[in-house]
Amino acid sequence: MWLLLAFLSAALLGFYDVFKKQSLKDNAVIPVLFLNTLFSSLIFLPFIVWSVWKPETLENSIFYVPVAGWEVHRYVVLKSVIVLSSWVLGYFGMKNLPITIVGPINATRPVMVLVGALVVFGERLNLYQWIGVLMAVFSFFMLSRSGKKEGIDFKHNKWIYYVVMAAVLGAISGLYDKYLMASADQGGIGLDRMIVQSWYNIYQLFMMGGVLMLLWWPKRGSTTPFHWHWCIVLISIFLSAADFVYFYALSLDGAMISIVSMVRRGSVLVSFIFGAMVFREKNLKSKAVDLALVLIGMIFLYLGSR
């Protein structure tokens, strides 16, 4: 069940990336990201309010949000900072790079999660996992060669560094999710998934509100102007659905964060197809080879994590 949910989350994430790319086209990044946090918060706010007002109606459902104190919320605030930092870097990178470049870079996150598990949790990689890691690293260098054909120098392009840092922070967030969701006997703290997902959106809204008013609003006349696009709403809908399915999958018995993380990166297939068909991006043949290497590497990671 949790594996099927991981595949569903991957498909939803793929469409999330597509709508994000479309929304950021010739648009200001900060307002788009703020609206994303706003709409995502509005999706979960009714569950928070209803759980407090009439807890008996949701208490036994998957939408119930338990009441918790600061000892719990402090962990959620930290998650909000990590995720929002990743989003800010990722949004700027997505705006300024082809989605067929960004997608495969993001697809290397499971490798970072495994390396993080190696360092933080003391896990050891087996032969299959090492093959997967090496293939992902090799595919990254191959992708840099494809990028040069479009004038994108991986060593000197700051947007590449933005996307890479966003991927690193995303991997850190994945490891942190494992810590938050795992039970105490598995080295975690066993937080309720709805507390995490609903409240981290709320905290991000206030953080982005501050960034919007202090950094973007005073300089809005001298930067890229903001314009409304219907895809902005779809960003929040598909992201919230993808995360809801993801957190629910992690809450099920036997769910493995390493495999779930790998499967979710399959979202790159959706974004790559749309990059070819909708955005008409270039050098697709060479990028397809790079993407194939990433996916083969993910298969080895899956085999090594069974």
Side-chain angles (χ1 to χ4, degrees):
M1 180 65 176
W2 59 266
L3 188 58
L4 292 176
L5 292 174
F7 278 107
L8 175 58
S9 181
L12 293 169
L13 273 181
F15 285 102
Y16 156 70
D17 280 337
V18 172
F19 294 129
K20 181 169 62 175
K21 178 66 176 178
Q22 185 63 36
S23 298
L24 292 171
K25 186 177 181 181
D26 301 321
N27 209 354
V29 172
I30 299 300
V32 172
L33 185 49
F34 169 75
L35 289 173
N36 178 17
T37 61
L38 172 62
F39 292 131
S40 295
S41 298
L42 291 176
I43 290 173
F44 286 95
L45 186 59
F47 298 125
I48 297 175
V49 174
W50 199 266
S51 295
V52 174
W53 183 37
K54 290 188 176 182
E56 67 279 0
T57 59
L58 290 179
E59 204 162 10
N60 296 319
S61 74
I62 60 177
F63 302 109
Y64 178 63
V65 184
V67 177
W70 174 245
E71 68 278 1
V72 169
H73 280 267
R74 61 184 178 177
Y75 294 106
V76 183
V77 171
L78 178 56
K79 176 173 174 58
S80 301
V81 173
I82 296 171
V83 174
L84 192 58
S85 300
S86 176
W87 283 2
V88 170
L89 293 168
Y91 270 53
F92 276 104
M94 177 69 81
K95 176 183 177 180
N96 293 281
L97 292 170
I99 195 173
T100 47
I101 290 285
V102 175
I105 293 177
N106 282 332
T108 61
R109 286 190 190 184
V111 175
M112 300 179 192
V113 171
L114 273 180
V115 173
L118 179 70
V119 175
V120 177
F121 297 109
E123 296 181 2
R124 294 184 178 181
L125 303 186
N126 56 40
L127 177 60
Y128 283 135
Q129 290 171 328
W130 275 117
I131 293 174
V133 169
L134 293 175
M135 290 196 69
V137 172
F138 179 67
S139 70
F140 186 83
F141 286 108
M142 293 291 291
L143 192 64
S144 69
R145 295 181 61 184
S146 299
K148 285 184 179 179
K149 296 179 181 178
E150 299 179 52
I152 301 172
D153 188 344
F154 272 40
K155 293 182 180 179
H156 302 99
N157 189 300
K158 68 177 182 179
W159 306 120
I160 293 293
Y161 288 103
Y162 275 43
V163 174
V164 170
M165 281 305 303
V168 171
L169 288 170
I172 292 173
S173 177
L175 292 169
Y176 191 53
D177 288 339
K178 176 180 178 178
Y179 173 70
L180 294 180
M181 301 295 169
S183 58
D185 60 322
Q186 295 179 338
I189 56 176
L191 294 190
D192 182 89
R193 59 180 180 80
M194 280 299 287
I195 290 180
V196 176
Q197 185 175 8
S198 58
W199 279 103
Y200 99 84
N201 280 304
I202 301 295
Y203 290 130
Q204 285 186 138
L205 172 62
F206 285 103
M207 293 175 189
M208 276 309 303
V211 171
L212 180 76
M213 297 307 298
L214 295 176
L215 299 181
W216 181 78
W217 187 261
K219 299 180 180 180
R220 65 192 185 281
S222 58
T223 60
T224 304
F226 168 74
H227 62 267
W228 170 257
H229 198 290
W230 60 271
C231 282
I232 295 174
V233 177
L234 295 178
I235 293 176
S236 301
I237 293 175
F238 276 83
L239 175 62
S240 297
D243 279 353
F244 181 84
V245 174
Y246 163 66
F247 283 121
Y248 185 62
L250 288 184
S251 69
L252 297 177
D253 291 337
M256 299 175 65
I257 181 62
S258 56
I259 294 181
V260 172
S261 179
M262 281 180 272
V263 171
R264 269 168 57 94
R265 287 305 107 199
S267 62
V268 67
L269 291 173
V270 176
S271 60
F272 196 91
I273 291 171
F274 272 82
M277 298 179 61
V278 178
F279 301 120
R280 303 292 183 182
E281 296 184 355
K282 303 175 182 178
N283 301 314
L284 295 176
K285 289 184 179 180
S286 60
K287 291 176 184 176
V289 173
D290 306 333
L291 176 60
L293 289 173
V294 174
L295 295 177
I296 293 172
M298 289 171 63
I299 292 173
F300 275 100
L301 292 178
Y302 169 76
L303 293 174
S305 303
R306 292 180 62 182

